[in-house]
């Protein structure tokens, strides 16, 4: 699990507090941030290493099942006002921090119409762009069709999901179209082969559950993420 869970700065679904962790180089003169749901939080081990290597202060703002967008989302089919309030509170904190760069990612929200999600993302990214914040949006990771722990314990040679079944449309790329200050990074080739997404790559367990990477694998991807992001 990423360290933000142990440090209790990854917020639960009821919270609206813009709690943050300070990672990277806490004394760094340049500030970068991470925002989004647990699919953004899963990248924190890699982003933390990148920040430390560059001497940047990293500030995290993540919350369960809450993408960093103005698109309305629900919580198990029910209204989720805590997500919108948290987002607004985080935006207020970002204005105080004046970061140069924001990393973000998010899960799939199939109950939100595609055009609504795109406009919600563009609204937030556009607002931050006017404040001088560049955005690196990381495409959502695939969903796998097995429980990695059970599968590896029972039959490790068969722990793989067809890639075409695990990937969804790159909603972040659609939202970033024509936004010059947003760069979309697709890391899925580092998680999956051409045909399948396996449980183990390079002798490292990739998945901690059916839709989150292990912190160990995320950390191993740090140099590749940095290169793809142009850092």
């Amino acid at each position: 699990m990423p360290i933000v869970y142990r440090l209790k700065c990854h917020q639960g679904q009821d919270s609206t507090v813009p709690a943050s962790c300070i990672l990277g180089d806490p004394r760094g003169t340049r500030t970068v941030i991470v925002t989004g749901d647990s699919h953004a939080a899963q990248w924190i081990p890699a982003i933390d290493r990148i920040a430390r290597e560059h001497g940047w202060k990293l500030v995290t703002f993540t919350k369960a099942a809450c993408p960093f967008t103005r698109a309305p989302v629900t919580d198990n089919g029910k209204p989720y006002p805590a997500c919108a309030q948290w987002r607004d509170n985080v935006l207020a904190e970002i204005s105080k921090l004046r970061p140069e760069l924001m990393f973000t990612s998010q899960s799939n929200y199939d109950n939100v119409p595609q055009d609504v999600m795109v406009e919600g993302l563009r609204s937030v990214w556009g607002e931050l762009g006017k404040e001088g914040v560049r955005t690196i949006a990381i495409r959502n990771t695939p969903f796998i069709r097995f429980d990695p722990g059970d599968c590896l314990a029972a039959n490790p040679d068969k722990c793989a999901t067809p890639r075409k079944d695990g990937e969804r449309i790159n909603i972040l790329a659609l939202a970033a179209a024509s936004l010059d200050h947003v760069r979309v990074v697709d890391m899925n080739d580092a998680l999956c082969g051409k045909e399948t997404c396996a449980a183990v790559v390079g002798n490292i367990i990739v998945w901690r559950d059916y839709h989150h990477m292990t912190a160990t694998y995320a950390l191993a991807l740090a140099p590749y993420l940095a290169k793809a992001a142009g850092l």
Side-chain angles (χ1 to χ4, degrees):
M1 300 283 283
I3 194 172
V4 291
Y5 289 84
R6 178 165 59 83
L7 296 179
K8 301 187 183 306
C9 47
H10 178 71
Q11 295 298 281
Q13 284 154 285
D14 294 334
S15 177
T16 62
V17 177
S20 62
C21 283
I22 308 299
L23 302 174
D25 180 354
R27 297 179 298 278
T29 57
R30 298 178 66 185
T31 299
V32 299
I33 60 175
V34 181
T35 62
D37 59 16
S38 62
H39 283 227
Q42 70 179 342
W43 286 103
I44 286 174
I47 299 168
D48 181 31
R49 173 168 284 185
I50 294 169
R52 284 187 280 114
E53 290 177 349
H54 285 81
W56 298 338
K57 179 167 69 173
L58 174 63
V59 184
T60 72
F61 295 102
T62 59
K63 175 175 167 63
C66 184
F68 202 57
T69 174
R70 284 199 168 89
V73 295
T74 57
D75 177 12
N76 292 321
K78 299 178 182 178
Y80 192 8
C83 180
Q85 185 60 58
W86 174 83
R87 177 205 63 224
D88 289 343
N89 291 341
V90 170
L91 284 169
E93 291 300 308
I94 292 173
S95 293
K96 298 174 188 175
L97 289 170
R98 302 185 66 84
E100 297 183 24
L101 183 66
M102 176 177 76
F103 289 86
T104 191
S105 189
Q106 65 182 56
S107 184
N108 305 322
Y109 291 86
D110 295 333
N111 59 342
V112 180
Q114 180 177 296
D115 60 333
V116 174
M117 181 60 77
V118 165
E119 288 307 311
L121 289 166
R122 290 176 64 86
S123 175
V124 171
W125 295 350
E127 177 180 328
L128 292 176
K130 292 177 181 178
E131 297 182 15
V133 182
R134 293 184 296 116
T135 294
I136 295 175
I138 307 172
R139 182 183 182 179
N140 188 27
T141 48
F143 281 57
I144 58 174
R145 300 294 181 89
F146 55 86
D147 180 278
D150 290 346
C151 187
L152 286 169
N155 200 340
D157 293 334
K158 294 187 177 181
C159 300
T161 292
R163 182 168 174 170
K164 62 181 178 61
D165 293 341
E167 288 186 318
R168 299 291 186 273
I169 190 168
N170 190 348
I171 193 77
L172 302 180
L174 296 179
S178 77
L179 294 179
D180 293 338
H181 67 287
V182 180
R183 180 169 185 156
V184 179
V185 173
D186 186 344
M187 296 297 295
N188 286 357
D189 282 347
L191 286 95
C192 302
K194 290 182 179 180
E195 301 295 334
T196 61
C197 300
V200 176
V201 173
N203 207 36
I204 302 174
I205 298 175
V206 178
W207 308 99
R208 74 173 191 257
D209 58 30
Y210 73 95
H211 63 122
H212 293 101
M213 284 185 294
T214 63
T216 308
Y217 196 73
L219 183 61
L221 294 183
Y224 306 99
L225 176 60
K227 181 178 180 180
L231 301 175

